[in-house]
Amino acid sequence: MSEFIFLYRGSSRPTSPQDAQALMQKWMTWLQDLAKRGHIKDQGQPLDPVGKVVSGKQQTVTDGPFAEAKDLVGGYSLILAKDLDEAAALSKDCPIFDRGGSVEVRPVMKM
Amino acid sequence: MEPVESLFRRESGRMVAALTRVFGVHNLLLVEDVVQDAFCRAMEVWKFRGMPENPSAWLMAVAKNRALDVLRRERTARTFAPELTRLLESEWTLAPILDEQFGPDAIKDDVLRLMFSCCAPGIAEDSQVALVLHMLCGFSVDEVAGAFVASHAAMEKRLTRAKKVLTQSAQLFDIADATEFSRRLPVVQRALYLLFNEGYHGASSEFAVRAELCREAIRLAALLHAHPLGSTPGTDALAALMCLNAGRLPARTDSAGDLLALADQDRTKWDRTLIDEGERLLQQSARGPELSAYHVEAAIAWVHANAACATDTEWSKIVKLYDMLMAIRPSPVVALNRAIAVAQVEGPESGLKAIEAIENRDRLAKYPFFPAALGELELRAGRPSSARQHFQEALRLARNPAERRFLQQREIACAH
């Protein structure tokens, strides 16, 4: 098994408390199902939509946001899969797609 | 009574109430922003780490911390709750006052304050109910529109107008003022009654929505009942009628979600705990001279809940109770229900005569169960072709697919 990172990008805000709860439950079910099938190395963490960027030789510090909301990384998970194709296939039921978001699947580089 | 699937909705009402108390009713938009933020945060964190042991306390803590940020940041730009201004201005009192305001007992009072504020005289009756559902039960505009089978645009307009009245009132209703409390209590009771009825008899076809509306009405009535000034015999009776009727709700539809006639309902599905609670409340409601319409309606529900089957029901008792109800709060719908009970005691011809005698019958012109009742009695009187015409008329008025399917079945029954 190889390791992959899922980067969750963009997702619209819930329209109501009921909607937020339904969406959260979908995510929990999806992640639990991946874990049951042995594909989760680390469930990962959500990321706050604020932050700072430090860049250049001068180490200039600028405030986020860094990108459009639709491109912002909102969280990540560490996934176990046979190869990149399998890892990509595992992301297919991610609830983020219901909301116009995307999952970036990246292999962790091997030695 | 409070399943986990409505956790966010329930917490939404509590957060809105607590934040409105602190920010002041004129900052309703800010309140809604903070609540939405708290839900976004909860959703993002919980989906990775799972729900915390006490999700309600977690959400409240997020709302409280956000409130603290907002109060510090906007202290000079905005005014907040006028009655708390001084306490919110000083760093010495700000954090302690927020801790107090977000404590469980304070929040119960906040919900009541907001409930009474939503029932202000400047807000129309049907808007009061919509506003309660939106603010205190966490229903979005779309969900409120769905519950009342109204269009999104119409509901948005109705809610915007009601919110405007609310935000323009100088401050929240003062629940410590006993005179004002008693004066507005009947309006609040009426709004909760309408909320319950929308769930029980309303036009929404989705069982889950209907059950949720009934559950919310019961929850808010219990809250009203827990307040010393709110715990009147009338509130007892209101809560009793909700429990006694809601206890029978699980049997009103079959496994496919289709409506069942009273005689065909499986009475083993009734929620006995709710019915027992209703019975206890009904007994308690008899502790004074007051005899409200809620008392009589609760008594009718009690007679139904105590019959082993439809034919065992003490229909003559029900007719007497409807006579009382007609004396207290006459309406064509009450008269129609009375006529149906009369038919059970004296036969279909008497029932038809009683329908014939209903005053203001034209107000039932759009109510599908009016022609349906005529059809039922014509069928029982042995006139299937006339019955069929009535059911066809009822079908034209049906408000949702479940009613349509039910009435189609009744129309088919006329062919046999």
Side-chain angles (χ1 to χ4, degrees):
Chain A
M1 286 292 215
S2 306
E3 289 179 18
F4 297 85
I5 288 273
F6 280 4
L7 294 172
Y8 306 112
R9 269 185 213 283
S11 175
S12 58
R13 284 164 79 86
T15 54
S16 69
Q18 189 71 0
D19 185 45
Q21 182 160 357
L23 189 58
M24 178 192 76
Q25 271 157 351
K26 267 191 196 166
W27 270 88
M28 288 164 88
T29 313
W30 177 67
L31 282 169
Q32 275 160 13
D33 179 57
L34 283 185
K36 240 184 272 162
R37 288 155 54 203
H39 289 297
I40 297 280
K41 168 110 180 187
D42 181 349
Q43 287 226 44
Q45 298 283 2
L47 300 177
D48 230 325
V50 294
K52 288 186 185 296
V53 179
V54 186
S55 58
K57 247 191 193 149
Q58 308 297 319
Q59 297 177 2
T60 323
V61 180
T62 48
D63 284 340
F66 326 93
E68 305 255 335
K70 68 176 175 49
D71 300 322
L72 199 65
V73 176
Y76 68 91
S77 304
L78 198 52
I79 299 291
L80 294 170
K82 186 162 93 261
D83 51 33
L84 186 55
D85 285 341
E86 191 194 30
L90 289 175
S91 78
K92 283 209 168 109
D93 295 321
C94 179
I96 205 165
F97 299 118
D98 298 349
R99 305 292 166 129
S102 66
V103 181
E104 184 174 321
V105 184
R106 302 284 302 274
V108 174
M109 204 182 275
K110 286 182 186 161
M111 292 289 282
Chain B
M1 268 328 285
E2 296 183 315
V4 70
E5 63 259 32
S6 53
L7 173 84
F8 277 36
R9 270 186 181 162
R10 193 184 65 215
E11 293 308 323
S12 167
R14 284 157 42 88
M15 284 195 281
V16 167
L19 289 163
T20 308
R21 167 78 171 141
V22 174
F23 288 170
V25 76
H26 56 291
N27 284 317
L28 204 54
L29 276 175
L30 186 63
V31 168
E32 289 175 339
D33 268 0
V34 170
V35 171
Q36 216 209 1
D37 250 28
F39 280 124
C40 275
R41 188 158 280 265
M43 184 187 82
E44 291 301 333
V45 174
W46 297 356
K47 71 189 189 192
F48 286 106
R49 298 180 203 159
M51 295 249 272
E53 205 150 280
N54 188 343
S56 164
W58 196 102
L59 277 167
M60 268 315 154
V62 173
K64 188 181 81 180
N65 291 335
R66 280 283 294 135
L68 204 56
D69 286 347
V70 169
L71 287 166
R72 286 204 174 111
R73 201 182 55 224
E74 308 208 9
R75 212 154 21 191
T76 48
R78 276 180 199 261
T79 58
F80 293 102
E83 63 273 34
L84 298 175
T85 304
R86 255 195 291 150
L87 294 166
L88 297 175
E89 265 169 6
S90 158
E91 270 303 315
W92 288 95
T93 46
L94 177 59
I97 194 80
L98 279 194
D99 281 340
E100 198 186 309
Q101 286 303 326
F102 283 82
D105 286 333
I107 290 177
K108 277 186 199 155
D109 282 350
D110 291 338
V111 173
L112 272 186
R113 268 187 202 98
L114 193 52
M115 199 192 294
F116 275 67
S117 303
C118 287
C119 296
I123 302 173
E125 202 173 64
D126 52 353
S127 302
Q128 291 173 351
V129 188
L131 197 58
V132 165
L133 200 53
H134 181 57
M135 306 268 296
L136 290 171
C137 311
F139 277 56
S140 68
V141 177
D142 266 333
E143 288 160 354
V144 180
F148 291 96
V149 198
S151 72
H152 175 93
M155 187 50 73
E156 185 153 53
K157 209 164 145 195
R158 207 202 290 184
L159 280 171
T160 309
R161 206 178 298 143
K163 273 190 203 173
K164 203 169 157 198
V165 176
L166 187 62
T167 51
Q168 283 171 350
S169 58
Q171 60 186 60
L172 282 168
F173 184 85
D174 180 7
I175 54 170
D177 184 334
T179 316
E180 278 301 310
F181 195 107
S182 307
R183 192 174 297 160
R184 197 169 291 180
L185 183 60
V187 187
V188 174
Q189 287 172 336
R190 176 88 186 148
L192 297 186
Y193 172 78
L194 292 175
L195 177 60
F196 182 84
N197 264 6
E198 193 57 46
Y200 203 71
H201 300 288
S204 171
S205 63
E206 205 189 315
F207 179 74
V209 172
R210 308 177 61 125
E212 176 91 10
L213 295 185
C214 291
R215 196 156 49 218
E216 286 300 302
I218 290 175
R219 181 174 72 84
L220 295 176
L223 202 65
L224 184 62
H225 197 262
H227 191 277
L229 292 172
S231 168
T232 64
T235 309
D236 293 339
L238 174 65
L241 92 86
M242 288 181 181
C243 291
L244 288 165
N245 281 316
R248 295 186 287 132
L249 197 58
R252 288 185 80 221
T253 48
D254 62 14
S255 53
D258 283 350
L259 291 171
L260 287 170
L262 184 63
D264 301 329
Q265 292 174 11
D266 174 3
R267 296 177 180 225
T268 60
K269 283 191 187 162
W270 286 354
D271 183 338
R272 274 286 149 197
T273 325
L274 259 183
I275 291 174
D276 290 348
E277 172 66 3
E279 198 169 311
R280 191 187 65 76
L281 286 161
L282 182 59
Q283 277 166 7
Q284 199 178 304
S285 75
R287 63 194 152 103
E290 188 187 350
L291 180 70
S292 64
Y294 305 130
H295 284 84
V296 183
E297 283 199 43
I300 292 169
W302 182 82
V303 175
H304 279 301
N306 276 281
C309 61
T311 44
D312 265 5
T313 310
E314 293 180 87
W315 289 104
S316 55
K317 217 182 240 176
I318 290 187
V319 172
K320 283 201 193 88
L321 287 166
Y322 273 120
D323 286 339
M324 280 167 92
L325 196 53
M326 281 303 285
I328 302 173
R329 206 184 59 210
S331 85
V333 174
V334 172
L336 178 63
N337 283 315
R338 183 189 165 277
I340 293 166
V342 166
Q344 293 289 345
V345 180
E346 298 174 15
E349 301 296 354
S350 299
L352 286 165
K353 257 183 228 141
I355 291 180
E356 199 62 42
I358 296 177
E359 281 178 46
N360 300 319
R361 265 197 311 170
D362 50 317
R363 276 167 55 196
L364 295 171
K366 282 187 177 166
Y367 185 52
F369 291 98
F370 177 60
L374 286 172
E376 219 52 72
L377 296 183
E378 286 290 337
L379 187 60
R380 255 185 266 164
R383 294 184 289 272
S385 64
S386 157
R388 190 172 192 172
Q389 281 172 12
H390 289 300
F391 282 123
Q392 282 165 348
E393 167 66 13
L395 256 170
R396 271 193 291 279
L397 298 171
R399 296 165 296 179
N400 62 57
E403 284 183 0
R404 212 162 290 129
R405 284 194 297 272
F406 173 75
L407 293 166
Q408 266 158 0
Q409 288 305 315
R410 299 311 298 149
E411 194 207 337
I412 291 167
C414 299
H416 300 303

